[in-house]
PDB file of all heavy atoms in Angstrom:
ATOM      1  N   THR A 283      50.641 154.073  56.118  1.00 74.00           N
ATOM      2  CA  THR A 283      51.789 154.066  55.210  1.00 74.00           C
ATOM      3  C   THR A 283      53.091 153.993  55.991  1.00 74.00           C
ATOM      4  O   THR A 283      54.043 153.306  55.603  1.00 74.00           O
ATOM      5  CB  THR A 283      51.783 155.339  54.336  1.00 74.00           C
ATOM      6  OG1 THR A 283      50.561 155.401  53.610  1.00 74.00           O
ATOM      7  CG2 THR A 283      52.943 155.325  53.364  1.00 74.00           C
ATOM      8  N   ALA A 284      53.137 154.694  57.123  1.00 70.00           N
ATOM      9  CA  ALA A 284      54.321 154.702  57.965  1.00 70.00           C
ATOM     10  C   ALA A 284      54.667 153.304  58.444  1.00 70.00           C
ATOM     11  O   ALA A 284      55.819 152.858  58.367  1.00 70.00           O
ATOM     12  CB  ALA A 284      54.107 155.628  59.161  1.00 70.00           C
ATOM     13  N   LYS A 285      53.677 152.593  58.952  1.00 77.00           N
ATOM     14  CA  LYS A 285      53.923 151.246  59.461  1.00 77.00           C
ATOM     15  C   LYS A 285      54.348 150.307  58.342  1.00 77.00           C
ATOM     16  O   LYS A 285      55.221 149.455  58.534  1.00 77.00           O
ATOM     17  CB  LYS A 285      52.654 150.711  60.135  1.00 77.00           C
ATOM     18  CG  LYS A 285      52.876 149.391  60.864  1.00 77.00           C
ATOM     19  CD  LYS A 285      53.922 149.525  61.953  1.00 77.00           C
ATOM     20  CE  LYS A 285      54.142 148.222  62.698  1.00 77.00           C
ATOM     21  NZ  LYS A 285      55.211 148.330  63.709  1.00 77.00           N
ATOM     22  N   ALA A 286      53.769 150.476  57.153  1.00 78.00           N
ATOM     23  CA  ALA A 286      54.141 149.636  56.019  1.00 78.00           C
ATOM     24  C   ALA A 286      55.605 149.846  55.639  1.00 78.00           C
ATOM     25  O   ALA A 286      56.351 148.883  55.394  1.00 78.00           O
ATOM     26  CB  ALA A 286      53.241 149.940  54.827  1.00 78.00           C
ATOM     27  N   ALA A 287      56.040 151.112  55.612  1.00 75.00           N
ATOM     28  CA  ALA A 287      57.436 151.411  55.271  1.00 75.00           C
ATOM     29  C   ALA A 287      58.395 150.822  56.290  1.00 75.00           C
ATOM     30  O   ALA A 287      59.447 150.276  55.952  1.00 75.00           O
ATOM     31  CB  ALA A 287      57.626 152.927  55.180  1.00 75.00           C
ATOM     32  N   GLU A 288      58.037 150.917  57.548  1.00 75.00           N
ATOM     33  CA  GLU A 288      58.893 150.372  58.598  1.00 75.00           C
ATOM     34  C   GLU A 288      59.008 148.852  58.479  1.00 75.00           C
ATOM     35  O   GLU A 288      60.106 148.292  58.598  1.00 75.00           O
ATOM     36  CB  GLU A 288      58.349 150.756  59.970  1.00 75.00           C
ATOM     37  CG  GLU A 288      59.212 150.238  61.122  1.00 75.00           C
ATOM     38  CD  GLU A 288      58.704 150.682  62.475  1.00 75.00           C
ATOM     39  OE1 GLU A 288      57.876 151.611  62.529  1.00 75.00           O
ATOM     40  OE2 GLU A 288      59.139 150.094  63.472  1.00 75.00           O
ATOM     41  N   LEU A 289      57.893 148.180  58.239  1.00 80.00           N
ATOM     42  CA  LEU A 289      57.918 146.728  58.107  1.00 80.00           C
ATOM     43  C   LEU A 289      58.807 146.287  56.954  1.00 80.00           C
ATOM     44  O   LEU A 289      59.586 145.338  57.080  1.00 80.00           O
ATOM     45  CB  LEU A 289      56.500 146.192  57.901  1.00 80.00           C
ATOM     46  CG  LEU A 289      55.593 146.116  59.129  1.00 80.00           C
ATOM     47  CD1 LEU A 289      54.201 145.647  58.722  1.00 80.00           C
ATOM     48  CD2 LEU A 289      56.175 145.175  60.180  1.00 80.00           C
ATOM     49  N   MET A 290      58.690 146.965  55.798  1.00 77.00           N
ATOM     50  CA  MET A 290      59.486 146.592  54.640  1.00 77.00           C
ATOM     51  C   MET A 290      60.974 146.808  54.892  1.00 77.00           C
ATOM     52  O   MET A 290      61.808 145.994  54.497  1.00 77.00           O
ATOM     53  CB  MET A 290      59.038 147.394  53.420  1.00 77.00           C
ATOM     54  CG  MET A 290      57.646 147.075  52.918  1.00 77.00           C
ATOM     55  SD  MET A 290      57.445 145.342  52.399  1.00 77.00           S
ATOM     56  CE  MET A 290      58.558 145.265  51.003  1.00 77.00           C
ATOM     57  N   THR A 291      61.316 147.909  55.541  1.00 74.00           N
ATOM     58  CA  THR A 291      62.723 148.200  55.812  1.00 74.00           C
ATOM     59  C   THR A 291      63.312 147.194  56.797  1.00 74.00           C
ATOM     60  O   THR A 291      64.414 146.675  56.605  1.00 74.00           O
ATOM     61  CB  THR A 291      62.877 149.629  56.361  1.00 74.00           C
ATOM     62  OG1 THR A 291      62.264 150.547  55.451  1.00 74.00           O
ATOM     63  CG2 THR A 291      64.339 149.991  56.524  1.00 74.00           C
ATOM     64  N   ARG A 292      62.574 146.923  57.864  1.00 77.00           N
ATOM     65  CA  ARG A 292      63.045 145.938  58.833  1.00 77.00           C
ATOM     66  C   ARG A 292      63.182 144.552  58.190  1.00 77.00           C
ATOM     67  O   ARG A 292      64.136 143.826  58.467  1.00 77.00           O
ATOM     68  CB  ARG A 292      62.072 145.863  60.012  1.00 77.00           C
ATOM     69  CG  ARG A 292      62.093 147.070  60.919  1.00 77.00           C
ATOM     70  CD  ARG A 292      61.154 146.894  62.101  1.00 77.00           C
ATOM     71  NE  ARG A 292      61.104 148.082  62.926  1.00 77.00           N
ATOM     72  CZ  ARG A 292      62.002 148.383  63.863  1.00 77.00           C
ATOM     73  NH1 ARG A 292      63.018 147.557  64.085  1.00 77.00           N
ATOM     74  NH2 ARG A 292      61.888 149.479  64.571  1.00 77.00           N
ATOM     75  N   HIS A 293      62.229 144.211  57.337  1.00 77.00           N
ATOM     76  CA  HIS A 293      62.250 142.898  56.690  1.00 77.00           C
ATOM     77  C   HIS A 293      63.519 142.708  55.866  1.00 77.00           C
ATOM     78  O   HIS A 293      64.155 141.644  55.916  1.00 77.00           O
ATOM     79  CB  HIS A 293      61.021 142.753  55.797  1.00 77.00           C
ATOM     80  CG  HIS A 293      61.025 141.533  54.943  1.00 77.00           C
ATOM     81  ND1 HIS A 293      60.861 140.266  55.447  1.00 77.00           N
ATOM     82  CD2 HIS A 293      61.194 141.377  53.605  1.00 77.00           C
ATOM     83  CE1 HIS A 293      60.919 139.381  54.465  1.00 77.00           C
ATOM     84  NE2 HIS A 293      61.111 140.043  53.335  1.00 77.00           N
ATOM     85  N   ALA A 294      63.904 143.731  55.079  1.00 74.00           N
ATOM     86  CA  ALA A 294      65.093 143.618  54.235  1.00 74.00           C
ATOM     87  C   ALA A 294      66.348 143.395  55.070  1.00 74.00           C
ATOM     88  O   ALA A 294      67.201 142.560  54.734  1.00 74.00           O
ATOM     89  CB  ALA A 294      65.241 144.878  53.384  1.00 74.00           C
ATOM     90  N   ILE A 295      66.486 144.127  56.184  1.00 73.00           N
ATOM     91  CA  ILE A 295      67.656 143.969  57.051  1.00 73.00           C
ATOM     92  C   ILE A 295      67.658 142.583  57.699  1.00 73.00           C
ATOM     93  O   ILE A 295      68.689 141.895  57.733  1.00 73.00           O
ATOM     94  CB  ILE A 295      67.675 145.061  58.145  1.00 73.00           C
ATOM     95  CG1 ILE A 295      67.658 146.458  57.517  1.00 73.00           C
ATOM     96  CG2 ILE A 295      68.877 144.888  59.057  1.00 73.00           C
ATOM     97  CD1 ILE A 295      68.882 146.810  56.734  1.00 73.00           C
ATOM     98  N   GLN A 296      66.516 142.162  58.199  1.00 76.00           N
ATOM     99  CA  GLN A 296      66.434 140.869  58.880  1.00 76.00           C
ATOM    100  C   GLN A 296      66.653 139.704  57.917  1.00 76.00           C
ATOM    101  O   GLN A 296      67.238 138.683  58.281  1.00 76.00           O
ATOM    102  CB  GLN A 296      65.083 140.744  59.587  1.00 76.00           C
ATOM    103  CG  GLN A 296      64.956 141.685  60.780  1.00 76.00           C
ATOM    104  CD  GLN A 296      63.526 141.832  61.279  1.00 76.00           C
ATOM    105  OE1 GLN A 296      62.587 141.309  60.674  1.00 76.00           O
ATOM    106  NE2 GLN A 296      63.356 142.550  62.381  1.00 76.00           N
ATOM    107  N   GLU A 297      66.191 139.851  56.671  1.00 77.00           N
ATOM    108  CA  GLU A 297      66.425 138.807  55.671  1.00 77.00           C
ATOM    109  C   GLU A 297      67.914 138.670  55.362  1.00 77.00           C
ATOM    110  O   GLU A 297      68.431 137.568  55.230  1.00 77.00           O
ATOM    111  CB  GLU A 297      65.650 139.141  54.389  1.00 77.00           C
ATOM    112  CG  GLU A 297      64.187 138.757  54.437  1.00 77.00           C
ATOM    113  CD  GLU A 297      64.002 137.256  54.467  1.00 77.00           C
ATOM    114  OE1 GLU A 297      64.344 136.578  53.489  1.00 77.00           O
ATOM    115  OE2 GLU A 297      63.516 136.746  55.506  1.00 77.00           O
ATOM    116  N   ALA A 298      68.600 139.803  55.230  1.00 73.00           N
ATOM    117  CA  ALA A 298      70.051 139.766  54.984  1.00 73.00           C
ATOM    118  C   ALA A 298      70.768 139.102  56.151  1.00 73.00           C
ATOM    119  O   ALA A 298      71.697 138.312  55.965  1.00 73.00           O
ATOM    120  CB  ALA A 298      70.580 141.186  54.770  1.00 73.00           C
ATOM    121  N   GLU A 299      70.337 139.422  57.361  1.00 74.00           N
ATOM    122  CA  GLU A 299      70.926 138.832  58.554  1.00 74.00           C
ATOM    123  C   GLU A 299      70.706 137.316  58.580  1.00 74.00           C
ATOM    124  O   GLU A 299      71.628 136.542  58.864  1.00 74.00           O
ATOM    125  CB  GLU A 299      70.320 139.479  59.796  1.00 74.00           C
ATOM    126  CG  GLU A 299      70.919 138.974  61.107  1.00 74.00           C
ATOM    127  CD  GLU A 299      70.285 139.660  62.308  1.00 74.00           C
ATOM    128  OE1 GLU A 299      69.404 140.517  62.110  1.00 74.00           O
ATOM    129  OE2 GLU A 299      70.669 139.318  63.437  1.00 74.00           O
ATOM    130  N   ALA A 300      69.484 136.878  58.241  1.00 77.00           N
ATOM    131  CA  ALA A 300      69.170 135.448  58.257  1.00 77.00           C
ATOM    132  C   ALA A 300      69.958 134.697  57.192  1.00 77.00           C
ATOM    133  O   ALA A 300      70.465 133.595  57.438  1.00 77.00           O
ATOM    134  CB  ALA A 300      67.669 135.251  58.049  1.00 77.00           C
ATOM    135  N   ARG A 301      70.070 135.280  55.996  1.00 75.00           N
ATOM    136  CA  ARG A 301      70.835 134.613  54.937  1.00 75.00           C
ATOM    137  C   ARG A 301      72.295 134.476  55.329  1.00 75.00           C
ATOM    138  O   ARG A 301      72.925 133.439  55.073  1.00 75.00           O
ATOM    139  CB  ARG A 301      70.714 135.408  53.632  1.00 75.00           C
ATOM    140  CG  ARG A 301      69.403 135.199  52.899  1.00 75.00           C
ATOM    141  CD  ARG A 301      69.462 135.776  51.493  1.00 75.00           C
ATOM    142  NE  ARG A 301      69.671 137.213  51.502  1.00 75.00           N
ATOM    143  CZ  ARG A 301      68.708 138.105  51.499  1.00 75.00           C
ATOM    144  NH1 ARG A 301      67.441 137.710  51.501  1.00 75.00           N
ATOM    145  NH2 ARG A 301      68.976 139.395  51.510  1.00 75.00           N
ATOM    146  N   ALA A 302      72.848 135.536  55.928  1.00 72.00           N
ATOM    147  CA  ALA A 302      74.252 135.478  56.343  1.00 72.00           C
ATOM    148  C   ALA A 302      74.455 134.414  57.415  1.00 72.00           C
ATOM    149  O   ALA A 302      75.446 133.678  57.399  1.00 72.00           O
ATOM    150  CB  ALA A 302      74.696 136.850  56.861  1.00 72.00           C
ATOM    151  N   GLU A 303      73.521 134.324  58.350  1.00 76.00           N
ATOM    152  CA  GLU A 303      73.625 133.356  59.437  1.00 76.00           C
ATOM    153  C   GLU A 303      73.566 131.922  58.910  1.00 76.00           C
ATOM    154  O   GLU A 303      74.244 131.027  59.422  1.00 76.00           O
ATOM    155  CB  GLU A 303      72.514 133.599  60.454  1.00 76.00           C
ATOM    156  CG  GLU A 303      72.663 132.791  61.735  1.00 76.00           C
ATOM    157  CD  GLU A 303      71.617 133.179  62.768  1.00 76.00           C
ATOM    158  OE1 GLU A 303      70.626 133.834  62.383  1.00 76.00           O
ATOM    159  OE2 GLU A 303      71.810 132.833  63.943  1.00 76.00           O
ATOM    160  N   ARG A 304      72.753 131.687  57.861  1.00 79.00           N
ATOM    161  CA  ARG A 304      72.615 130.351  57.286  1.00 79.00           C
ATOM    162  C   ARG A 304      73.674 130.053  56.239  1.00 79.00           C
ATOM    163  O   ARG A 304      73.725 128.936  55.699  1.00 79.00           O
ATOM    164  CB  ARG A 304      71.223 130.202  56.659  1.00 79.00           C
ATOM    165  CG  ARG A 304      70.075 130.267  57.651  1.00 79.00           C
ATOM    166  CD  ARG A 304      68.762 129.838  57.008  1.00 79.00           C
ATOM    167  NE  ARG A 304      68.377 130.716  55.913  1.00 79.00           N
ATOM    168  CZ  ARG A 304      67.509 131.718  56.028  1.00 79.00           C
ATOM    169  NH1 ARG A 304      66.944 131.977  57.213  1.00 79.00           N
ATOM    170  NH2 ARG A 304      67.193 132.465  54.994  1.00 79.00           N
ATOM    171  N   GLY A 305      74.492 131.040  55.905  1.00 76.00           N
ATOM    172  CA  GLY A 305      75.524 130.835  54.897  1.00 76.00           C
ATOM    173  C   GLY A 305      74.977 130.753  53.489  1.00 76.00           C
ATOM    174  O   GLY A 305      75.588 130.140  52.614  1.00 76.00           O
ATOM    175  N   GLU A 306      73.829 131.375  53.239  1.00 76.00           N
ATOM    176  CA  GLU A 306      73.197 131.310  51.927  1.00 76.00           C
ATOM    177  C   GLU A 306      73.682 132.430  51.006  1.00 76.00           C
ATOM    178  O   GLU A 306      74.314 133.382  51.440  1.00 76.00           O
ATOM    179  CB  GLU A 306      71.680 131.409  52.080  1.00 76.00           C
ATOM    180  CG  GLU A 306      71.057 130.259  52.854  1.00 76.00           C
ATOM    181  CD  GLU A 306      69.567 130.451  53.050  1.00 76.00           C
ATOM    182  OE1 GLU A 306      69.060 131.515  52.643  1.00 76.00           O
ATOM    183  OE2 GLU A 306      68.925 129.548  53.615  1.00 76.00           O
ATOM    184  N   GLU A 307      73.357 132.270  49.721  1.00 77.00           N
ATOM    185  CA  GLU A 307      73.693 133.296  48.738  1.00 77.00           C
ATOM    186  C   GLU A 307      72.905 134.574  49.037  1.00 77.00           C
ATOM    187  O   GLU A 307      71.791 134.515  49.557  1.00 77.00           O
ATOM    188  CB  GLU A 307      73.357 132.809  47.327  1.00 77.00           C
ATOM    189  CG  GLU A 307      74.236 131.679  46.829  1.00 77.00           C
ATOM    190  CD  GLU A 307      75.669 132.122  46.633  1.00 77.00           C
ATOM    191  OE1 GLU A 307      75.883 133.261  46.156  1.00 77.00           O
ATOM    192  OE2 GLU A 307      76.578 131.338  46.966  1.00 77.00           O
ATOM    193  N   PRO A 308      73.458 135.741  48.703  1.00 76.00           N
ATOM    194  CA  PRO A 308      72.737 137.003  48.939  1.00 76.00           C
ATOM    195  C   PRO A 308      71.519 137.132  48.040  1.00 76.00           C
ATOM    196  O   PRO A 308      71.330 136.366  47.090  1.00 76.00           O
ATOM    197  CB  PRO A 308      73.793 138.071  48.613  1.00 76.00           C
ATOM    198  CG  PRO A 308      74.737 137.397  47.675  1.00 76.00           C
ATOM    199  CD  PRO A 308      74.791 135.962  48.110  1.00 76.00           C
ATOM    200  N   ASP A 309      70.695 138.104  48.327  1.00 82.00           N
ATOM    201  CA  ASP A 309      69.473 138.362  47.578  1.00 82.00           C
ATOM    202  C   ASP A 309      69.797 138.611  46.103  1.00 82.00           C
ATOM    203  O   ASP A 309      70.791 139.275  45.772  1.00 82.00           O
ATOM    204  CB  ASP A 309      68.773 139.589  48.168  1.00 82.00           C
ATOM    205  CG  ASP A 309      67.337 139.719  47.712  1.00 82.00           C
ATOM    206  OD1 ASP A 309      66.793 138.750  47.168  1.00 82.00           O
ATOM    207  OD2 ASP A 309      66.761 140.804  47.933  1.00 82.00           O
ATOM    208  N   ALA A 310      68.969 138.086  45.215  1.00 88.00           N
ATOM    209  CA  ALA A 310      69.196 138.236  43.781  1.00 88.00           C
ATOM    210  C   ALA A 310      69.022 139.690  43.346  1.00 88.00           C
ATOM    211  O   ALA A 310      68.293 140.461  43.966  1.00 88.00           O
ATOM    212  CB  ALA A 310      68.236 137.348  43.005  1.00 88.00           C
ATOM    213  N   ILE A 311      69.717 140.054  42.260  1.00 93.00           N
ATOM    214  CA  ILE A 311      69.585 141.375  41.670  1.00 93.00           C
ATOM    215  C   ILE A 311      68.569 141.295  40.539  1.00 93.00           C
ATOM    216  O   ILE A 311      68.603 140.371  39.725  1.00 93.00           O
ATOM    217  CB  ILE A 311      70.930 141.886  41.121  1.00 93.00           C
ATOM    218  CG1 ILE A 311      72.000 141.859  42.212  1.00 93.00           C
ATOM    219  CG2 ILE A 311      70.778 143.297  40.554  1.00 93.00           C
ATOM    220  CD1 ILE A 311      71.706 142.730  43.394  1.00 93.00           C
ATOM    221  N   SER A 312      67.657 142.268  40.489  1.00 94.00           N
ATOM    222  CA  SER A 312      66.618 142.253  39.469  1.00 94.00           C
ATOM    223  C   SER A 312      66.401 143.672  38.946  1.00 94.00           C
ATOM    224  O   SER A 312      67.144 144.595  39.278  1.00 94.00           O
ATOM    225  CB  SER A 312      65.323 141.671  40.040  1.00 94.00           C
ATOM    226  OG  SER A 312      64.351 141.499  39.034  1.00 94.00           O
ATOM    227  N   ARG A 313      65.354 143.825  38.144  1.00 95.00           N
ATOM    228  CA  ARG A 313      65.045 145.116  37.516  1.00 95.00           C
ATOM    229  C   ARG A 313      63.543 145.352  37.581  1.00 95.00           C
ATOM    230  O   ARG A 313      62.744 144.429  37.482  1.00 95.00           O
ATOM    231  CB  ARG A 313      65.525 145.108  36.065  1.00 95.00           C
ATOM    232  CG  ARG A 313      64.969 146.241  35.203  1.00 95.00           C
ATOM    233  CD  ARG A 313      65.531 146.194  33.815  1.00 95.00           C
ATOM    234  NE  ARG A 313      64.757 147.007  32.880  1.00 95.00           N
ATOM    235  CZ  ARG A 313      65.147 147.310  31.652  1.00 95.00           C
ATOM    236  NH1 ARG A 313      66.309 146.874  31.211  1.00 95.00           N
ATOM    237  NH2 ARG A 313      64.381 148.042  30.870  1.00 95.00           N
ATOM    238  N   MET A 314      63.154 146.620  37.734  1.00 95.00           N
ATOM    239  CA  MET A 314      61.745 146.985  37.768  1.00 95.00           C
ATOM    240  C   MET A 314      61.545 148.291  37.005  1.00 95.00           C
ATOM    241  O   MET A 314      62.322 149.234  37.166  1.00 95.00           O
ATOM    242  CB  MET A 314      61.271 147.164  39.220  1.00 95.00           C
ATOM    243  CG  MET A 314      59.808 147.541  39.350  1.00 95.00           C
ATOM    244  SD  MET A 314      59.283 147.740  41.084  1.00 95.00           S
ATOM    245  CE  MET A 314      59.880 149.404  41.440  1.00 95.00           C
ATOM    246  N   ASP A 315      60.512 148.340  36.165  1.00 95.00           N
ATOM    247  CA  ASP A 315      60.155 149.560  35.447  1.00 95.00           C
ATOM    248  C   ASP A 315      58.950 150.204  36.129  1.00 95.00           C
ATOM    249  O   ASP A 315      57.956 149.531  36.407  1.00 95.00           O
ATOM    250  CB  ASP A 315      59.800 149.241  33.996  1.00 95.00           C
ATOM    251  CG  ASP A 315      61.014 148.785  33.185  1.00 95.00           C
ATOM    252  OD1 ASP A 315      62.097 148.669  33.778  1.00 95.00           O
ATOM    253  OD2 ASP A 315      60.863 148.546  31.977  1.00 95.00           O
ATOM    254  N   HIS A 316      59.048 151.500  36.391  1.00 94.00           N
ATOM    255  CA  HIS A 316      57.971 152.221  37.069  1.00 94.00           C
ATOM    256  C   HIS A 316      57.613 153.453  36.251  1.00 94.00           C
ATOM    257  O   HIS A 316      58.469 154.306  35.979  1.00 94.00           O
ATOM    258  CB  HIS A 316      58.419 152.631  38.473  1.00 94.00           C
ATOM    259  CG  HIS A 316      57.372 153.352  39.260  1.00 94.00           C
ATOM    260  ND1 HIS A 316      56.321 152.713  39.875  1.00 94.00           N
ATOM    261  CD2 HIS A 316      57.206 154.686  39.522  1.00 94.00           C
ATOM    262  CE1 HIS A 316      55.565 153.591  40.492  1.00 94.00           C
ATOM    263  NE2 HIS A 316      56.072 154.801  40.291  1.00 94.00           N
ATOM    264  N   VAL A 317      56.354 153.555  35.839  1.00 92.00           N
ATOM    265  CA  VAL A 317      55.896 154.682  35.021  1.00 92.00           C
ATOM    266  C   VAL A 317      55.631 155.895  35.907  1.00 92.00           C
ATOM    267  O   VAL A 317      54.974 155.793  36.945  1.00 92.00           O
ATOM    268  CB  VAL A 317      54.617 154.311  34.241  1.00 92.00           C
ATOM    269  CG1 VAL A 317      54.086 155.526  33.481  1.00 92.00           C
ATOM    270  CG2 VAL A 317      54.896 153.163  33.273  1.00 92.00           C
ATOM    271  N   VAL A 318      56.161 157.041  35.491  1.00 92.00           N
ATOM    272  CA  VAL A 318      55.982 158.300  36.221  1.00 92.00           C
ATOM    273  C   VAL A 318      55.231 159.263  35.307  1.00 92.00           C
ATOM    274  O   VAL A 318      55.662 159.525  34.180  1.00 92.00           O
ATOM    275  CB  VAL A 318      57.341 158.904  36.631  1.00 92.00           C
ATOM    276  CG1 VAL A 318      57.134 160.206  37.396  1.00 92.00           C
ATOM    277  CG2 VAL A 318      58.124 157.916  37.468  1.00 92.00           C
ATOM    278  N   THR A 319      54.119 159.792  35.777  1.00 87.00           N
ATOM    279  CA  THR A 319      53.302 160.691  34.965  1.00 87.00           C
ATOM    280  C   THR A 319      53.761 162.131  35.107  1.00 87.00           C
ATOM    281  O   THR A 319      54.446 162.489  36.064  1.00 87.00           O
ATOM    282  CB  THR A 319      51.821 160.596  35.367  1.00 87.00           C
ATOM    283  OG1 THR A 319      51.698 160.965  36.750  1.00 87.00           O
ATOM    284  CG2 THR A 319      51.291 159.189  35.191  1.00 87.00           C
TER     285      THR A 319
END
Side-chain angles (χ1 to χ4, degrees):
T283 302
K285 188 60 179 177
E288 181 177 345
L289 283 176
M290 293 299 295
T291 306
R292 289 183 184 278
H293 172 71
I295 303 294
Q296 291 166 354
E297 279 292 295
E299 183 180 0
R301 282 192 297 269
E303 189 174 16
R304 295 191 298 262
E306 297 176 356
E307 291 293 321
D309 195 14
I311 305 298
S312 187
R313 166 178 164 169
M314 180 180 81
D315 291 3
H316 181 78
V317 175
V318 180
T319 60

